[in-house]
Amino acid sequence: MTATVIDGKAFAAKVRAEVAAHVARLKEEHGITPGLAVVLVGEDPASEVYVRNKGVQTVEVGMASFEHKLPATTSEADLLALIGRLNADPKVHGILVQLPLPSHLNSELVINTIDPAKDADGFHISNVGLLGTGQKSMVPCTPLGCLMMLRDHHGSLSGMNAVVVGRSNIVGKPMAQLLLGDSCTVTIAHSRTKDLAAVCRGADILVAAVGRPEMITGDMVKPGATVIDVGINRIERDGKVKLVGDVHYASAAAVAGAITPVPGGVGPMTIACLLANTLTACCRANGLPEPKGLTA
Ligand code: GUN
């Protein structure tokens, strides 16, 4: 079997087009422009690239982009004061503080200072609790993107066996909650799981989010399963730097029914979902109906 390739790049473009159409209607019918504020502390080159891409795509869908670049030496008090101002600013509907933060800043405190209704990342403890109890919340972007691709590919996920490999707060745990919300039977596995291969082979849906290059190999995949690869790992091979996922693509694609590539799979969906979340937050803030198909 050769797997169907789930094209995240094309799917993300479709999501952005839907967001842009909704934003245009909000402007025309209500005079409202959704706004996303992104806060970057320090000069981590990878984070600077992410933040630039976010700014460009925010403007492309017709939203207002507010970028706040602060020096690495910024005090916690100053950062919390900025978040307070963004919380109070009616032009700002979504707030994202780029992680990781410099080590002298308490990330949990910073994230939990964001107004939960403006928490575009879905990392605030209130949103974590709401998602965990099946209530309306802001949902972390990467798992939301994975869910959208799975729903698009399968229609209903009800009754499917889903295995999530990885237990991070940003991907693994919220991914498991979302799959449970769609009535999957969910297992969270991780690097210490006994006989991980056997656990993975039970999966109709296998989500790899462990951060270990090419750890999930074809022999761990059930024939016909859908494999979602969240990993983005830079490795050196044949003297060149290469981007690979947490899944060994060639061997897994030979067994799976469908698979996301790296690059071009889950990656592009993350920013698309950030824009979708900002739109959702804006609609909720204004008491307007939420966009269909762009939320959990
Ligand atoms: N750094 C890497 N990915 C992310 C993300 O999704 N959100 C935030 N805030 N920081 C990140």
Side-chain angles (χ1 to χ4, degrees), residues 229-296:
D229 189 353
V230 180
I232 301 178
N233 309 287
R234 278 178 184 78
I235 61 160
E236 207 174 299
R237 183 172 288 157
D238 307 326
K240 286 183 197 146
V241 177
K242 205 171 171 255
L243 214 57
V244 300
D246 292 349
V247 175
H248 185 272
Y249 186 83
S251 63
V255 184
I259 189 165
T260 60
V262 176
V266 174
M269 288 298 290
T270 297
I271 297 184
C273 287
L274 174 67
L275 304 175
N277 275 353
T278 304
L279 173 61
T280 298
C282 178
C283 291
R284 287 179 186 169
N286 288 284
L288 295 167
E290 288 174 28
K292 286 200 177 69
L294 298 177
T295 52

Side-chain angles (χ1 to χ4, degrees), residues 37-173:
V38 175
V39 180
L40 174 62
V41 186
E43 278 143 27
D44 175 60
S47 292
E48 287 194 330
V49 173
Y50 282 134
V51 167
R52 197 173 324 124
N53 287 340
K54 282 170 192 163
V56 168
Q57 294 189 30
T58 302
V59 172
E60 273 174 5
V61 296
M63 294 184 184
S65 170
F66 307 100
E67 265 181 36
H68 295 267
K69 289 190 176 179
L70 309 178
T73 52
T74 300
S75 71
E76 199 163 83
D78 283 352
L79 180 56
L80 297 183
L82 169 62
I83 293 172
R85 290 195 295 279
L86 297 174
N87 284 343
D89 186 342
K91 294 194 294 302
V92 173
H93 304 96
I95 301 170
L96 178 147
V97 177
Q98 185 69 27
L99 301 175
L101 286 170
S103 57
H104 68 282
L105 298 170
N106 177 344
S107 300
E108 281 179 6
L109 174 64
V110 169
I111 296 301
N112 289 328
T113 302
I114 297 171
D115 177 349
K118 295 189 177 189
D119 173 29
D121 262 326
F123 293 167
H124 190 289
I125 194 67
S126 298
N127 283 314
V128 175
L130 289 167
L131 178 62
T133 50
Q135 300 179 71
K136 193 186 267 194
S137 66
M138 297 300 293
V139 177
C141 304
T142 299
L144 178 59
C146 296
L147 183 73
M148 282 185 192
M149 291 195 286
L150 285 166
R151 284 177 175 169
D152 183 66
H153 187 74
H154 286 284
S156 169
L157 308 181
S158 181
M160 296 179 86
N161 288 329
V163 174
V164 180
V165 189
R167 52 179 157 175
S168 71
N169 292 333
I170 291 179
V171 183
K173 287 178 196 158

